[in-house]
Amino acid sequence: MNHSWTLKEICRHTNGALHGTNQERITTLAFDSRKVSPTPDTLFVALPGEQHDGHRYIEELYKLGIRAFLVSRLPGLSGYPDAGFCLVDDTTGGLQQLASAWRGVFTGEVAAITGSNGKTIVKEWIYQIMNGHFALHRSPKSYNSQIGVPLSVWMIQEHHDLAVIEAGISKPGEMERLEGVIAPHIGLFTNLGSAHQENFVSLQEKLEEKLKLFRGCRKIIFRSGSDPEGLQLREFIKKRASEAETVDWSLEGDAPYQYRIEAGEEVGTGILAETPAGSCSFRLPFGDDASIENALHAFTFSLEMGLPVEVAVERIEMLEPVSMRMEILRGINGSVLINDAYNSDIRGLSAALDLLNQQERNRERVLILSDLLQSGLKDQELYSEIARLTHQKGITRFVGIGPAMMQHRDLFPPASRFFADTGEFLKQLDRTLCRDSSVLIKGSRKFGFERITAELQLKTHQTLLEIDLNAMAGNLNHYRSLIGEGVKTMVMVKALSYGSGNVEVASLLQYHQVDYLAVAFIDEGIDLRKAGIHLPIMVMNPDPSGYGQMIDFNLEPELFSFKGVESLYSILRYREIERYPVHIKLDTGMHRLGFQEEDLDRLIPLLMRKAFRVTTVFSHLAASDEPAHDSFTLQQIGRFEKAAGRLSESLEISVGRHLLNSAGIERFPQAQFQMVRLGIGLHGVGGGKGLVPSSTYKTSISQVRGVEKGETIGYSRSGKAASDMLVATIPVGYADGMDRRLGNGAGSVWINGVAVPTIGNICMDMTMIDVTGMKVAEGDGVELFGKNLAVKEVARWAGTIPYEILTSIPERVKRVYLQE
């Protein structure tokens, strides 16, 4: 059973003041207004932030049914007659105090994991090894922040006997607060690296800060070594944790746990282990150094917690990769698929259902779910909770797969369908199940749900564009941090959002409450409206023949010519529409579209007609990213200020102004006016140090062949083998946006940690690459651009700009959206 406290008890634990009459018992904490389940047992924590303030959503959440709030300022209480508010000075601190109070009454063991890298992977692998032998709770996903940690601790249930919580910090002073929330008995330190180093003067300062988490621990587990750095780490930890037992392991030095890598393993990595519990050997199902280190952390921890060696060996040989994010895919019959292999427990299901509910374009919500294994709950309790959760989250069609699901089918709605295994489901598959629906596919690994995803996914070849929506949100917030208070943000989603997908990106931006979207053509705006996007949308190049549909879908035109003004006026007058929002384009030196200063005498009287409401006036900078043209940019800014000021004064209204693009936001803060326009910077392309590439273009090797000296490769025999070569073919060509100028060694791709050149001409659907001297095989992954090969660099090789590279990827290339 979930633990629960009344709002009065919560006020006592947080030193808060109770306002209102709510007496419901609280079991669930929420801070994301988009993911709140409108149930009486939910407490909404109104967290402040740079871009969001939870207090803004109280009215909306109250209308949905939320009745309990943790706040740092009160709304007008008369508007919330049956709600309760716990008023604290700081809601983040209140959340931490609340979690700390629950931690104080939990009687089981608590372990904490910290370090520069690998925390989440180690935590998940500990769960894979130990769960079932322990009633184990672990932090969901990478919940390791000042907010994530208290939420993780609050999720610990009374039946758990072990909780594993990860904690991460980015600056001094943070770990002390997290230690007070977790209060761990056992500490596990993964490693010390340069991640999040920018706020620490040295690695030693960061290590000291991280070790504050373990100051009350009775045992600390870590990796040491025979090298100076490993010996220094051991001495440092022993010195700082003088009252704790220190348990270290090593691959090369003396330690209580000594591991040695066996040579000659063709697949995976063989390990010989000497442990306090005896000798053993096992094979890890991977070979990279980071995975080996993470797995041995998990193995050492499991033995130290009392797991029998034979069980640990059996489980570690079956470790599975951890997917940190859910994939959003295009499915057959107009569906959207959410492929989630991250969590096979009740908390993971709840998070996945929240993401399912964000897919606004589809009304039907389908859940395909397998038995949840090793949950630590009795089956009756587990499947009753799943049935309750699916009802609460608005699932309209449910499919259960597995013997336990079959046994508990009476708990679910009569129209639900059940199958003994995945094979039976696929034999009877009705593809109309997912018509015009959002479908969550979530199954424990043993059920092989990848076969279901393959059947329901819209078929495309193995080349795909992977879009990291979390990175995109981070880039948005980077630019927002550069603009002044009250300055609005318009984001370009034209041309499939620079190739990333217009609806998916627009949905993300709508959630993050940007002020405006901009598209190039009316059809793009209509597609967004049909997908449930309700933000204001500016159409930058509207065809007058489509003005009727534009009005029908509440799209706002850019006006840049007298013909456009008169055409719009005619249809507005015919429909008897007044004060329709329009955006006036000025030409200040780009000389592409727009009214010039000498046009204003004729334009102003036309705009004073009742049919129009001038919402903004704007212009385009021609070279804001090039310092050599800064004097011209400043000249453009001056021209714009003059013309926009005259327009606003003549119309006798306050007209919003916007001029800056992505580069302009970074380089010309004095010209932010009332709004800025964000374009390619959203995708992580630009000069900002805080930007992260959001797109990775990837494929895999189709074939590898030897080519003898003197032979030629590709059309026109343009590739020649100067010596015996090894050539790989990848299924991507100029029809997939692989610029033909990248052929014949002008460009490279990334394989197994190495940039390898193209050879020969790029074909329509294929490209050949030189992998001579490399160990590669069919099916090996290939990055065309992304985190290893910057799209900016690929554009330079092709003699073009990143915009062209991104927007040239056609719709036949599958888009996969990743989101935590």
Side-chain angles (χ1 to χ4, degrees):
M1 292 293 292
N2 291 354
H3 57 280
S4 63
W5 282 330
T6 65
L7 201 57
K8 183 176 181 180
E9 291 172 311
I10 287 172
C11 286
R12 187 175 75 247
H13 291 307
T14 58
N15 297 316
L18 178 62
H19 296 264
T21 59
N22 184 280
Q23 293 298 317
E24 295 286 348
R25 301 197 70 84
I26 301 300
T27 63
T28 303
L29 303 182
F31 67 95
D32 185 334
S33 63
R34 186 177 60 166
K35 299 178 181 179
V36 172
S37 297
T39 55
D41 63 346
T42 298
L43 174 71
F44 179 72
V45 183
L47 296 172
E50 291 183 6
Q51 309 302 331
H52 293 283
D53 184 351
H55 295 83
R56 294 169 55 186
Y57 303 99
I58 291 174
E59 181 179 359
E60 172 189 338
L61 293 172
Y62 180 81
K63 290 177 181 178
L64 290 175
I66 299 297
R67 292 295 182 266
F69 301 88
L70 181 68
V71 298
S72 58
R73 63 177 186 271
L74 289 171
L77 295 179
S78 60
Y80 308 91
D82 55 345
F85 296 86
C86 177
L87 178 64
V88 295
D89 292 335
D90 167 34
T91 48
T92 302
L95 174 64
Q96 292 172 347
Q97 287 178 290
L98 182 59
S100 180
W102 168 239
R103 167 65 187 90
V105 301
F106 177 61
T107 58
E109 292 279 327
V110 177
I113 301 177
T114 194
S116 296
N117 298 292
K119 297 183 292 295
T120 303
I121 301 295
V122 172
K123 176 202 67 188
E124 289 301 314
W125 281 350
I126 286 172
Y127 184 83
Q128 289 186 26
I129 294 171
M130 298 184 66
N131 195 44
H133 285 261
F134 291 81
L136 192 152
H137 164 76
R138 88 285 201 197
S139 310
K141 300 186 181 181
S142 52
Y143 274 34
N144 59 30
S145 67
Q146 298 292 306
I147 296 169
V149 166
L151 289 173
S152 300
V153 169
W154 176 262
M155 293 175 187
I156 300 172
Q157 302 301 321
E158 293 168 348
H159 73 275
H160 291 130
D161 48 38
L162 172 63
V164 181
I165 308 295
E166 66 170 292
I169 57 171
S170 58
K171 58 186 178 182
E174 291 184 333
M175 191 60 87
E176 206 155 0
R177 300 179 73 176
L178 298 186
E179 189 277 334
V181 175
I182 304 172
H185 304 110
I186 313 294
L188 194 160
F189 184 78
T190 58
N191 53 51
L192 184 66
S194 58
H196 305 293
Q197 182 62 38
E198 60 270 17
N199 293 317
F200 297 93
V201 297
S202 66
L203 284 173
Q204 180 169 322
E205 182 193 36
K206 184 166 71 172
L207 177 59
E208 289 205 38
E209 180 70 19
K210 286 182 177 292
L211 291 181
K212 289 179 181 178
L213 179 62
F214 302 150
R215 61 187 176 189
C217 287
R218 66 170 185 268
K219 182 182 293 186
I220 301 173
I221 301 167
F222 63 99
R223 177 186 180 179
S224 64
S226 58
D227 59 303
E229 185 175 327
L231 293 172
Q232 184 179 8
L233 178 63
R234 176 194 284 181
E235 291 306 312
F236 193 90
I237 290 179
K238 285 180 176 289
K239 183 178 179 181
R240 291 296 186 275
S242 57
E243 296 183 6
E245 177 190 358
T246 55
V247 177
D248 55 323
W249 66 267
S250 178
L251 279 169
E252 59 281 319
D254 292 331
Y257 289 81
Q258 295 184 34
Y259 303 109
R260 299 291 181 267
I261 296 177
E262 287 188 285
E265 288 283 325
E266 292 185 7
V267 180
T269 305
I271 300 290
L272 297 173
E274 294 291 337
T275 80
S279 302
C280 61
S281 62
F282 49 86
R283 186 186 63 81
L284 299 175
F286 33 69
D288 62 289
D289 291 344
S291 293
I292 292 170
E293 179 180 61
N294 292 336
L296 294 179
H297 275 311
F299 186 78
T300 305
F301 178 88
S302 300
L303 295 188
E304 280 296 305
M305 294 303 297
L307 191 70
V309 174
E310 61 273 16
V311 176
V313 167
E314 178 187 358
R315 292 287 186 85
I316 200 169
E317 290 187 334
M318 297 188 295
L319 287 181
E320 296 170 340
V322 175
S323 172
M324 297 307 300
R325 295 166 292 191
M326 290 176 261
E327 293 181 332
I328 306 174
L329 310 168
R330 289 186 181 180
I332 61 174
N333 296 330
S335 65
V336 173
L337 308 181
I338 298 177
N339 182 34
D340 177 26
Y342 176 73
N343 276 316
S344 57
D345 62 9
I346 196 73
R347 294 290 182 185
L349 174 61
S350 180
L353 289 172
D354 286 334
L355 182 58
L356 181 71
N357 284 329
Q358 294 168 28
Q359 310 307 309
E360 295 183 34
R361 76 181 96 179
N362 299 300
R363 291 172 295 174
E364 298 291 322
R365 295 184 177 91
V366 180
L367 172 60
I368 303 174
L369 182 69
S370 79
D371 292 351
L372 296 190
L373 306 178
Q374 300 172 344
S375 69
L377 298 173
K378 293 180 180 179
D379 277 1
Q380 181 68 27
E381 183 180 358
L382 173 64
Y383 292 100
S384 295
E385 177 63 13
I386 290 173
R388 184 195 67 80
L389 195 59
T390 56
H391 173 74
Q392 180 190 99
K393 301 287 186 178
I395 294 300
T396 52
R397 281 175 277 174
F398 179 82
V399 176
I401 297 177
M405 282 286 184
M406 296 280 287
Q407 186 176 350
H408 294 87
R409 62 193 305 162
D410 291 343
L411 296 171
F412 295 86
S416 302
R417 301 189 65 191
F418 295 87
F419 302 88
D421 54 39
T422 303
E424 183 184 337
F425 169 80
L426 291 172
K427 284 179 185 177
Q428 302 182 43
L429 178 60
D430 177 3
R431 285 173 173 77
T432 63
L433 171 74
C434 58
R435 186 182 303 279
D436 297 325
S437 300
S438 296
V439 184
L440 172 60
I441 302 169
K442 186 169 184 59
S444 298
R445 301 273 185 182
K446 67 170 286 185
F447 286 90
F449 269 24
E450 64 274 7
R451 291 180 288 163
I452 297 176
T453 303
E455 283 294 325
L456 297 182
Q457 188 175 350
L458 194 65
K459 295 298 185 286
T460 53
H461 56 66
Q462 65 260 47
T463 300
L464 59 89
L465 184 65
E466 197 174 78
I467 296 101
D468 185 341
L469 297 178
N470 293 94
M472 196 172 284
N475 295 333
L476 171 66
N477 286 331
H478 165 76
Y479 281 99
R480 281 175 153 175
S481 71
L482 301 178
I483 64 178
E485 186 176 354
V487 177
K488 296 181 178 180
T489 306
M490 175 183 285
V491 182
M492 305 291 112
V493 290
K494 59 182 181 177
L496 279 180
S497 288
Y498 295 52
S500 292
N502 55 352
V503 172
E504 292 79 6
V505 173
S507 296
L508 176 78
L509 297 170
Q510 182 163 276
Y511 166 65
H512 285 280
Q513 296 187 320
V514 303
D515 301 283
Y516 257 95
L517 300 178
V519 297
F521 303 109
I522 292 171
D523 287 348
E524 293 176 319
I526 292 174
D527 287 344
L528 294 181
R529 287 286 185 250
K530 288 180 177 180
I533 302 301
H534 53 72
L535 289 174
I537 300 174
M538 182 177 80
V539 183
M540 304 186 73
N541 194 7
D543 184 341
S545 66
Y547 276 167
Q549 277 195 303
M550 181 192 71
I551 294 169
D552 292 339
F553 285 92
N554 194 27
L555 305 174
E556 303 177 13
E558 166 189 318
L559 297 179
F560 52 80
S561 69
F562 289 106
K563 179 182 177 182
V565 172
E566 293 295 352
S567 296
L568 181 59
Y569 176 69
S570 295
I571 191 169
L572 291 174
R573 185 177 59 178
Y574 175 77
R575 293 193 180 191
E576 298 182 343
I577 296 173
E578 295 184 359
R579 295 184 54 75
Y580 196 82
V582 298
H583 303 262
I584 305 302
K585 175 70 174 295
L586 300 177
D587 179 9
T588 57
M590 182 86 160
H591 299 323
R592 185 174 61 179
L593 292 174
F595 296 101
Q596 300 188 64
E597 186 176 2
E598 54 267 30
D599 295 325
L600 295 184
D601 287 338
R602 178 183 170 192
L603 176 64
I604 289 170
L606 301 179
L607 296 179
M608 295 177 72
R609 293 180 291 197
K610 291 182 179 180
F612 299 122
R613 174 169 59 86
V614 178
T615 302
T616 72
V617 56
F618 71 105
S619 187
H620 269 84
L621 296 176
S624 61
D625 58 339
E626 299 181 37
H629 298 294
D630 280 359
S631 59
F632 181 78
T633 299
L634 293 172
Q635 188 178 70
Q636 276 196 276
I637 293 171
R639 290 173 179 169
F640 177 69
E641 284 187 292
K642 181 180 177 182
R646 181 182 167 195
L647 196 64
S648 183
E649 182 179 343
S650 299
L651 295 175
E652 297 182 346
I653 58 172
S654 178
V655 177
R657 294 174 289 174
H658 48 105
L659 179 65
L660 299 183
N661 55 6
S662 298
I665 296 170
E666 293 179 327
R667 303 193 63 242
F668 297 94
Q670 74 276 22
Q672 291 178 3
F673 299 110
Q674 287 76 42
M675 187 156 65
V676 296
R677 298 190 304 272
L678 180 57
I680 200 165
L682 180 73
H683 306 270
V685 180
K689 292 183 179 179
L691 298 179
V692 177
S694 63
S695 297
T696 300
Y697 196 18
K698 59 196 335 184
T699 188
S700 58
I701 294 175
S702 297
Q703 190 176 55
V704 181
R705 67 173 66 243
V707 176
E708 295 181 355
K709 178 180 178 180
E711 292 291 322
T712 59
I713 298 101
Y715 284 122
S716 303
R717 306 186 67 197
S718 62
K720 292 182 171 58
S723 59
D724 289 351
M725 295 180 66
L726 191 64
V727 174
T729 300
I730 55 177
V732 56
Y734 56 78
D736 306 294
M738 185 73 172
D739 197 299
R740 203 166 182 271
R741 291 167 290 186
L742 295 171
N744 296 299
S748 295
V749 299
W750 189 268
I751 303 177
N752 296 339
V754 179
V756 300
T758 60
I759 185 167
N761 284 325
I762 289 174
C763 311
M764 181 180 289
D765 309 297
M766 287 172 280
T767 296
M768 287 70 75
I769 52 178
D770 180 1
V771 293
T772 304
M774 295 181 65
K775 186 179 180 181
V776 297
E778 293 178 10
D780 282 359
V782 180
E783 181 184 297
L784 307 172
F785 64 74
K787 292 179 172 57
N788 297 297
L789 284 181
V791 67
K792 192 174 183 178
E793 182 69 3
V794 174
R796 186 182 66 80
W797 292 336
T800 184
I801 57 176
Y803 295 82
E804 182 180 355
I805 300 296
L806 290 172
T807 58
S808 64
I809 300 174
E811 288 195 69
R812 82 170 187 172
V813 172
K814 176 173 63 178
R815 268 72 172 170
V816 174
Y817 299 90
L818 304 180
Q819 184 170 342
E820 285 195 8

